[in-house]
């Protein structure tokens, strides 16, 4: 087993979790990230919430990283996360995300973090 290789931050803004990912990751890093997201979400999972991942500085990693992120998205969906909003994925990451769409549901891609925050807040407004 390798040491986790990953860089990220996690911030909670109301019912929105904003994560910023950067650099190249390995599977162990993706697992650590998933554990930290789950821990940070403990106060969110009792009502609808959104997750934002800013990927503008994320270089990705081997396909095992994507497997961990898909598993995290499945966990998120089963814990009342209504949408994952990805911000500015690099071209290669975008093509991997697009190819995994059938098993990586409820994901939107946006150009900026501000757009993602606005979209998340719109999704969380109760219907009239």
């Amino acid at each position: 087993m390798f040491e986790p290789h990953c860089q990220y931050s996690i911030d909670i803004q109301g019912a929105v979790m904003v994560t910023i990912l950067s650099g190249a990751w390995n599977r162990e890093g993706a697992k650590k990230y998933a554990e930290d997201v789950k821990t940070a979400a403990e106060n969110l999972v009792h009502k609808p919430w959104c997750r934002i991942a800013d990927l503008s500085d994320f270089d990705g990693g081997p396909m095992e990283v994507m497997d961990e992120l898909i598993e995290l998205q499945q966990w998120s969906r089963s814990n009342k996360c209504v949408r994952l909003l990805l911000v500015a994925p690099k071209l290669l990451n975008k093509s991997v995300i697009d190819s995994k769409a059938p098993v990586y549901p409820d994901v939107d891609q946006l150009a900026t973090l501000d757009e993602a925050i606005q979209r998340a807040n719109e999704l969380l407004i109760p219907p009239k």
Side-chain angles (χ1 to χ4, degrees):
M1 184 163 205
F2 296 101
E3 289 293 316
H5 187 76
C6 56
Q7 291 180 296
Y8 58 87
S9 65
I10 300 173
D11 183 39
I12 307 296
Q13 300 176 12
V16 178
M17 176 184 290
V18 178
T19 60
I20 300 175
L21 290 62
S22 59
W25 288 23
N26 63 8
R27 177 178 223 145
E28 292 78 12
K31 284 184 179 192
K32 181 181 181 328
Y33 168 74
E35 291 168 8
D36 289 350
V37 165
K38 291 174 185 178
T39 298
E42 286 177 355
N43 293 325
L44 298 176
V45 298
H46 306 291
K47 61 183 180 183
W49 60 291
C50 280
R51 193 161 59 92
I52 297 172
D54 185 334
L55 304 179
S56 57
D57 290 324
F58 180 60
D59 296 323
M63 286 307 293
E64 293 85 15
V65 170
M66 187 65 187
D67 294 340
E68 295 296 330
L69 297 176
I70 289 170
E71 187 175 308
L72 176 59
Q73 177 61 359
Q74 291 168 347
W75 175 89
S76 297
R77 291 180 67 231
S78 68
N79 283 278
K80 299 188 180 173
C81 181
V82 298
R83 184 80 58 196
L84 169 59
L85 304 168
L86 302 176
V87 177
K90 293 180 178 180
L91 189 57
L92 180 58
N93 293 333
K94 181 178 178 0
S95 66
V96 170
I97 292 163
D98 291 344
S99 74
K100 297 292 185 178
V103 293
Y104 202 49
D106 297 325
V107 176
D108 293 335
Q109 298 178 41
L110 296 122
T112 70
L113 183 56
D114 286 342
E115 288 175 358
I117 291 170
Q118 179 180 345
R119 178 73 177 127
N121 287 317
E122 290 169 355
L123 288 166
L124 295 170
I125 296 172
K128 293 182 179 186

